[in-house]
Amino acid sequence: MVDTFEDLGFAKLDMSRSERTGMPETVYCAGKSKEQLAGILKAFQDKNCPVLGTRCSPEQASFVEANGLDVEYDAVSKTVVLTGGKKTELNGRVAVCCGGTADIPVAEEAARTAAFFGAEVERHFDVGVAGIHRLFAKLDSIREADVVIAVAGMEGALAGVVAGLVKTPVIAVPTSVGYGASFNGLAPLLTMLNSCAEGVAVVNIDNGFGAAVLACRILRGLQKHD
Amino acid sequence: MVDTFEDLGFAKLDMSRSERTGMPETVYCAGKSKEQLAGILKAFQDKNCPVLGTRCSPEQASFVEANGLDVEYDAVSKTVVLTGGKKTELNGRVAVCCGGTADIPVAEEAARTAAFFGAEVERHFDVGVAGIHRLFAKLDSIREADVVIAVAGMEGALAGVVAGLVKTPVIAVPTSVGYGASFNGLAPLLTMLNSCAEGVAVVNIDNGFGAAVLACRILRGLQKHD
Amino acid sequence: MVDTFEDLGFAKLDMSRSERTGMPETVYCAGKSKEQLAGILKAFQDKNCPVLGTRCSPEQASFVEANGLDVEYDAVSKTVVLTGGKKTELNGRVAVCCGGTADIPVAEEAARTAAFFGAEVERHFDVGVAGIHRLFAKLDSIREADVVIAVAGMEGALAGVVAGLVKTPVIAVPTSVGYGASFNGLAPLLTMLNSCAEGVAVVNIDNGFGAAVLACRILRGLQKHD
Amino acid sequence: MVDTFEDLGFAKLDMSRSERTGMPETVYCAGKSKEQLAGILKAFQDKNCPVLGTRCSPEQASFVEANGLDVEYDAVSKTVVLTGGKKTELNGRVAVCCGGTADIPVAEEAARTAAFFGAEVERHFDVGVAGIHRLFAKLDSIREADVVIAVAGMEGALAGVVAGLVKTPVIAVPTSVGYGASFNGLAPLLTMLNSCAEGVAVVNIDNGFGAAVLACRILRGLQKHD
Amino acid sequence: MVDTFEDLGFAKLDMSRSERTGMPETVYCAGKSKEQLAGILKAFQDKNCPVLGTRCSPEQASFVEANGLDVEYDAVSKTVVLTGGKKTELNGRVAVCCGGTADIPVAEEAARTAAFFGAEVERHFDVGVAGIHRLFAKLDSIREADVVIAVAGMEGALAGVVAGLVKTPVIAVPTSVGYGASFNGLAPLLTMLNSCAEGVAVVNIDNGFGAAVLACRILRGLQKHD
Amino acid sequence: MVDTFEDLGFAKLDMSRSERTGMPETVYCAGKSKEQLAGILKAFQDKNCPVLGTRCSPEQASFVEANGLDVEYDAVSKTVVLTGGKKTELNGRVAVCCGGTADIPVAEEAARTAAFFGAEVERHFDVGVAGIHRLFAKLDSIREADVVIAVAGMEGALAGVVAGLVKTPVIAVPTSVGYGASFNGLAPLLTMLNSCAEGVAVVNIDNGFGAAVLACRILRGLQKHD
Amino acid sequence: MVDTFEDLGFAKLDMSRSERTGMPETVYCAGKSKEQLAGILKAFQDKNCPVLGTRCSPEQASFVEANGLDVEYDAVSKTVVLTGGKKTELNGRVAVCCGGTADIPVAEEAARTAAFFGAEVERHFDVGVAGIHRLFAKLDSIREADVVIAVAGMEGALAGVVAGLVKTPVIAVPTSVGYGASFNGLAPLLTMLNSCAEGVAVVNIDNGFGAAVLACRILRGLQKHD
Amino acid sequence: MVDTFEDLGFAKLDMSRSERTGMPETVYCAGKSKEQLAGILKAFQDKNCPVLGTRCSPEQASFVEANGLDVEYDAVSKTVVLTGGKKTELNGRVAVCCGGTADIPVAEEAARTAAFFGAEVERHFDVGVAGIHRLFAKLDSIREADVVIAVAGMEGALAGVVAGLVKTPVIAVPTSVGYGASFNGLAPLLTMLNSCAEGVAVVNIDNGFGAAVLACRILRGLQKHD
C-alpha cells in the first residue's frame, strides 16, 4: 500500500485514505472557505470518488451547487453528498436513537453518514428517558440492530439506559442541546463517560459523523465474517 | 419570635432555630475539633434538646461517648444522634433510593436524618438504571411515598428516570462515587441539574442530610393540611 | 395505567404524561423549528389539552398565532399558553422572590408556570441581599407561602438567606445574570448548592420552569391531605 | 426473558444480566467493604457463575481468598477472577496498545477483561507516539486485530494516530498517568474526544474494563456472522 | 531609598521591604524546609527585626524553637511570631468576622496578622448568614470598625451581606471549608467576586494573612491623616 | 436609621442606601430595558439625587436623553451621570493604572466612578509590565496616591508588581481583554488572586466600578481622621 | 540603554523596545479603535519604523489605508505590515507546519510574522497526524529547518509527533479550530503541554505571532554565533 | 538512520533516540516500579549510555543504588544520573531563574537536566516580582545567557517580566507552588500563556526537565553555527 495525496496548496487530499481505512472520502466543511470546499469537491469529482461533506452551511452548499458540482444537500443534518462512483455496501444495521426533537440534527448527521457508507439505518427519534415508555415501545426493534448510536443532550442518560437493555455495542453522542449547567454539552458528555452500563463508548459533543464512522467500521468487521 | 443563641466563644449555638425553622437541632461535625463537638453537644444535652450530628468521624464519636454524652453512632452514614427531649413526628413517608452499593453511606445519611426528624422512611438501595428492571420492581412502593430522594454517583441518571415515573417531588443527591471523568461528583451533579424530567431539584454532592431536611420541610407542609 | 404517545415523526407526544405525573402538558420550544412547534401545539389543541410552552421566541409565537392557534404569549418570560381544556387547581401558595430587576424574566417564567398549573402565586421581585431590609419588609408574607422559589444571579445569596428565615421548602434558581466571574450562572449555582441554610434544593441555571413544576408537585401533595 | 436479581440487602445481584447482555458477570470492587465483596462473590460461586472483579485492592483480594473463595488475583491490573462455570469463547482478536510503562495497569485491566470474556488478546505495550517507530514496528500485527484498544495518558495522542493507520474500530482509554496540566487524565480524555482520525470512541479515564467490554460486544457481533 | 537584600543562597531576604512597603517582615513557611525556615528567622533575629511566619506547621515550629529562636506559635492559625525589635502601632480597628466554627483558623490568621502589624482587632466568629440574627446582634460593633474582614466558606454569602450593612471597606476571604460543589473554596470565591453589594474586594482562598495586610495598609493611610 | 425604598414594581429603589453606606446612588444598567432605566432615573431626579449608571449602552443613553433626563454619557466607559443634587467630596487621591490600551474602558469606568463619588483621580494608562520602564517612569506619582487601582487583562501581572512597589492599598481589576487561554478574564483574575506581593485585593472581571467604590470607602475613612 | 516611549495619551509607544528586545515593532490591533490604530501607525511611520500589526480586522485595515498609511494587508492571517525603514535579516529557517486547512489563518500569522522579522520561512500546511504519511513526506525538509512551529487544533497531536522526529526546538501553537470538547482550544493546549516528546514549548491558543517571535529570538541567537 | 529499540517486555527502550533527537537518554521514573527502573537503567549501563532519571523517589534511588548501579542522586530535584559513557558538551549558557524558595525543586530539575546535557548553567533563585529589585540586581548576568528558563508558581508573573527585559528566548515553567486559587499550578500556567511580553513559551506545570531539554535543543542549534 502506497499512501498518496493530492496537494491543493491549502489542503493535501488524502487519496489513499479509502484504501487505508476502508471508508469512502469525507470532508469537514466548517472552517473552509466556500472556494476551498468547491475546489476539494471538484478534485474528488474529477476522480469519480463519492464524498460526504459534514457541517456544510447553506451558503457553502449553494456555492458548490452554483459551481456545477453534482451534490445533494440536507439542511437539517448540514450534510452534502457528492454522488457518483461506486457505492459501498455494508451488510448490517445501525439503530440511531435520540432523546428529543432538538437532538435530531446530530442524529440525522449520524444516520446519513452511516447510510452513505452503506449501512442499513433505522431511526428512533424522541425516545428520551424522561418518558421511558417511549423507549420500551421501540426496544424490540433496537435490540435487532448490530450497533446502536444513542444521541442525547441535556442530561444524556439515554446511552446508559439503552446499553443496559441491549447486547450490542452502543456509541454515545452527547449533544450541545440544553442550557445553563449543560455547559454546551459537557453535562451529557460526562454522563455518558460515567455510564454504569457496560458496552458504551463516547464520541465528541455533536459528533454524529464520528459515531457513524465507528459504527460502520464495526459493520465492516461483520462483513469479513459473513 | 425572639432569635436567641448561646455563645460558646468558638460557636454561637442557634437555640431558636428549631422554633424558627421547625426542625430539631443538627450539627455539622467535620472541621470541628472533638473538644468543640463535645462542648456543643453538651450544651444541647443540658437543655434537653435532641441533636443530630452529621459527618462525624469515628474518632469524634468515641471521644464524645467517652465524655459521657448519651449518643448513638452509625458508622456507615457517619451520623450521631443525641437522644432525649421530645421526639418530633411527621405524618408522611420518604422513599430513599440509591444507584449502587457504594452510594449507601450518603443514602443512609439521608434516611437517618429523615427518621430523626420524624418521617417514615423506606429504603430502596441498588436500583441503578444500568439494570432498570430492579427499579421497576420497586416502583409501586416508590410511587406511594410523599417525597422521593434519589441518590446516585457515576452518571447520576437515577433521579431523572425516577422523576419521569412518579408524581411526587424528587430530591436528587449526586455522590462522589466514581472515578476519572466523574470529577468527584461533578458528573452526576450536572446530570441531575440537566434532568429532562420535571419535578427534580438537586442538593450538594454527598449531601444526604440536606436532601432529608428538604424532604421533611415538605412533609411538615402536608401536616398542616391533615 | 397505559403509557401512550402520539408519533409526529420528529416528536413523540407524551399523551399520558399528565396521567402519569399529574401535571398538564408543557413544551420546551427552544431548538424546535416554528413549524414543529405549531405542529405539536396543534396536536394538543385537537385533543383539547391545555399546554404551556417555555423558551418561546417572539418569532415562534407570531408564527403559532398566525397559524390559528389559540395562544397567549408573554414576552418577558417567553412563555406561551395554549388555553382550553379543563383547568387544574392546586390548593396552595408559591412565593416567587428574585434578587434584582434583571432576574425578572426567570422569576416570571416560574410564576407563570406555577399559575398555569393551578397554584396561587405571589411575586416579591428585587429583594436581593445587598439591601437586606427590602427582604425583611416582605418576610411575613413570604413566611405564609407553602413553597418559596428564590431566583438570583450574580452572587446568588438570596436562597440561603431566605431558607434561614422560613420553615417551608425553598427552591433555588440560579440565573445567568451577571458578568465576569459569574461564568454565565456558575457562581450563583455553586452558591446555592453550598447553602449553609437547611431546606434548599437547586434547579438548573435560568430554569424557572423546573422550579415551578417542583413547587406544584409539592402543593399537590398538600392537596391529598386536605 | 424475565429479569431477575438476588437481593443481598446492600446489593441486588443482577442474575439475568448475562442473559440480557450476553456477558458473564462482573463486579466493581472499589467502594465496597471486603465483607460485601466476599458476600457477592459467594452468591455467584454458589450459582457456579464465573465473575470478574475489577478495582480490587490487595486487602480485598486477601480477605476473599482467606474466606475460601476460589479466585485468581492480578496485582498489576487489580483484577480478581472467580473461576468455575462454563467459559465463554469469542471468535476474534483484540489488540491492546499502550503509550508507556505507567499505562500498563489500565492496559492490563483491559487485556484481562477481554480474555475473561473469551477474546484472543494481543498486547503491544510502550508504543507511544513520541518514538513513533515503535508503533510502526507493530503495525502489521495491530492491523490484523478485529478491534484495537488504545490506552494512553499524558497527551493521549496514540488513539488518533492508530485510528488513522487501521481499518478497525479503535476504543480509546485515557489514563490518569501524567502530572500538572494532565489534570488527572482530562488532557488525554479531551485529546481522544477531539481525534481528527475517524473511527475512535472513548471510555472513562482509566476504564480499561469498559473498553474491553465494548470490544467484546463487537466481537460477539462477528460471531453471529461466522 | 536603596533596595537591599541578604542572600542566603536559597533565599534573598528582602531587608528593605519594611522600608519600602511600611510593614514589618513576614515569611510564608509552607514549602520551606525546617532548616531553611530556621535560617531565615535567624537572619532576621540577628538584625533585631520582628517577623511573622504564616502556614507554619507544628513540626516547623518545634524545630525553630528547639534551635533557640525566640518565637510564639499559635496552632489554630498556624502562625509563628518572632518577637523583639520595635513594635509597630496602627491607629485603627479591624473587625474580623467569620461564618462558622470551621472558618476560625483562617479568621484567626487574619486577626493575628493584623495584631502583629499594630492594629486593634475585634473578633466576631460564627456569624454566618444561615442564622442572620447572630450577625445583626453584632452589627453595631462591626459598624464601628475601620475595616471589616469577612471570612466564609461553603456559600460565602457573609461578605456581601455585611457590605450591604456597613460603610467601611470589606475584605472578603473565601475559605476551603465545605465539600462537594464547594470545589475547595471555588464556590465562596465566586460568590464573593460576584457580590451585589458595593465595597467588597477579595483575596485568595484561605488567605487570612493577605486580607490583614491589606486592612493594615488601609489603617496606615488613616494614620497619615490623624 | 430607617431603611426605606421606593417600589416601582419591577424595582425597589433603595432610597436609604446613601444614608446606610455613605455613597451616592448608582444603577447597573445592563439587563434593564431602556424604559425601566428611564423610570429609575426619573424617580431619582424627582428627589434631586445624583445617580451614576454603569454598563449603559448607547441605545439606553439615547433613550434616556430623549426622555428629557439631564444626563452626561461617556461612550468609552459606558457610564451615564445624572447630575443635580449636592456633590460629595472625598479628601484623597486614587491612581488608576492600566496595562494596555484595550483595558481603558474598564479603567475609565473606575476613574469616572471615583470622580463621581468625589475623589481626586489620576490616570496612568498603558503601563503594562511587558515594558516595565513605563511603569517606573510614573512610580513617584503613583506612590503619592492614597489608593491604587490596577487594571489589567491578559496575564494581569500589573497589580502584583505595583503592590510590591508602593505602601498603599492596591485594588486589582482583571479584565476580559485577551484571547485563548485568558478564558475571558479568568487568567488575570487568578494571577491577581495569587499575587505574591502583599496588600492586593481583587474585584470581579471588568468591574472597574466596584474597585472605585471600594477605593472611595477607603478614602472616606481617611476623611474621618482629617 | 535608555528606555523611552512616546505618550499618545491612550498608548505609550515603546520606542526603545526594538533596541531592548532586538525585534522590530509590532502592534496588537484587536481592542483598539480604528482611529487609535491609525494614530499608532502614523507615529511609527513618522519615525520610519517598520511595524507589523496582528489581529487587524478588514475594517481597521481599510481605515488605515484610507488615512494614507503605506501598509500591506493579508486577510487570511489578519496581519498588516507598515513598510519602510531598514529591513532586519535573520540567518536561519523556520518551518511552519499545520494540521488542517482550518488552522491556516494561525499558521499564516506565524509565517508572516517570522518573515517580517527577517527569517526564511517554509510552509507545510495540512500535515495532520490522522493521515501521518503526509507528514512523513515532508519530514526531510522539516528536519532541515532551525526551528519548527507546529500549529494544530482539535486533538493537537501534531507538535508531539513532530518533536519526536526532529532534533530542533518545536514551538507548539494550539488553535481554537474544532468544536464540542475542544472547548475553544483547551483540548489541543492541554495535549501540547502534556507532550511526551521532548523539546516542545507552547504558546497561547491561536497565538501564531508569539510562536514566530520566539522562533526569531532563537534564530537571532544563531546569528551571534555565525 | 535506522530506528531501533530494546524490548524489555514492560518497556521498549528507545536506543536510537539519542541519534534521532541528538540528546542523551532520559527516564521518567514516576509510575515505574523500582524493579522496572533498575532494569531500565541496567540496560543502558550495559551499553555504556549515560542516563538522566527524573521524578525519582528516594525509595527508587536507594533500590537502584543497592542493586549496584553507578548513579548520583539529588534529593531536592529528585534527579538521578547514571554516569559513564561519553559526555556531551553544548557551547552555550542557560540562566535558570525562579520566583521563590519553594520553586527551587523545579528550578533545580531544570538546572541539572541542562547541565547533564552539556550546557553551562547559571542559577538565579528567589528573584520573584514582588520584590523586583532582586531581579534587576541580576539582570546584567541574565541578559548574557543564551536562553532563560523562568520558573514560578503562585501568580507566575516572572516569565513575562523577564521576557520584556531580555532579547533571548524565555522558557516559562509554571509550578504547583501556591494554594487556593492557584489550583495546583493552573494560575501561573495561564499567566505565562497570556504573557504580554514577546518571546515566551510554556511547558507543563513543574516540568523543569522539559524546559531544559528545549533550552538545550536551542543551544545545539547555536553549536552548528559556531
Side-chain angles (χ1 to χ4, degrees), chain E residues 19-21 26 146 163-164 166-169 193-194 198-199 201-202 204 209 213-214 217-218 220-222 225-226, chain F residues 19-21 26 163-164 166-169 193-194 198-199 201-202 204 209 213-214 217 220-222 224-226:
Chain E
E19 175 66 25
R20 209 170 64 246
T21 68
T26 58
D146 294 293
V166 304
K167 298 181 179 181
T168 43
L193 285 167
N194 284 284
E198 300 171 349
V202 188
N204 197 359
F209 168 76
V213 175
L214 178 55
R217 285 196 175 199
I218 293 171
R220 195 176 40 199
L222 303 180
H225 290 249
D226 278 337
Chain F
E19 175 64 26
R20 209 171 63 248
T21 68
T26 59
V166 304
K167 299 182 179 181
T168 42
L193 285 167
N194 284 284
E198 301 170 349
V202 188
N204 197 0
F209 168 76
V213 176
L214 178 55
R217 284 195 175 200
R220 196 176 39 199
L222 303 179
K224 283 196 316 192
H225 290 248
D226 280 335

Side-chain angles (χ1 to χ4, degrees), chain C residues 99-100 103 151-157 173-178 182 185 187-188 192, chain E residues 194 196:
Chain C
D103 299 317
V151 179
M154 301 183 83
E155 70 189 314
V173 190
T175 74
S176 54
V177 169
S182 92
M192 288 165 169
Chain E
N194 284 284
C196 307

Side-chain angles (χ1 to χ4, degrees), chain D residues 101 125-127 131 133-134 137-138, chain H residues 2-17 20 25 36 38-49:
Chain D
T101 308
F125 292 174
D126 206 9
V127 293
H133 58 290
R134 296 176 299 179
K138 299 297 185 113
Chain H
V2 178
D3 288 322
T4 62
F5 56 86
E6 176 163 341
D7 198 332
L8 300 186
F10 58 85
K12 296 184 177 41
L13 301 187
D14 190 355
M15 293 300 181
S16 60
R17 186 184 298 169
R20 208 170 64 247
E25 297 304 320
Q36 288 175 329
I40 290 169
L41 293 181
K42 183 74 172 45
F44 282 115
Q45 183 168 280
D46 290 352
K47 293 204 182 316
N48 204 24
C49 290

Side-chain angles (χ1 to χ4, degrees), chain F residues 16 30 35 39 44 51 65 68 81 85 91 106 115-116 125-126 172 177 184 203 210 216 221 226:
Chain F
S16 61
E35 291 79 9
F44 283 114
V51 178
E65 283 170 350
V81 172
N91 193 4
V106 177
F116 172 75
F125 291 174
D126 205 10
V177 169
N184 302 314
V203 296
C216 292
D226 280 335

Side-chain angles (χ1 to χ4, degrees), chain E residues 95-164:
Chain E
V96 180
C97 306
C98 78
T101 308
D103 298 319
I104 290 178
V106 176
E108 196 61 35
E109 185 189 79
R112 285 174 181 262
T113 299
F116 172 75
F117 284 174
E120 181 184 350
V121 175
E122 163 187 312
R123 290 161 173 86
H124 302 289
F125 292 174
D126 205 9
V127 292
V129 299
I132 208 163
H133 59 289
R134 296 176 300 179
L135 175 63
F136 284 120
K138 300 297 185 113
L139 198 52
D140 286 347
S141 173
I142 294 170
R143 276 178 170 147
E144 277 165 22
D146 294 293
V147 187
V148 179
I149 295 177
V151 179
M154 300 182 85
E155 70 189 311
L158 181 64
V161 170
V162 168

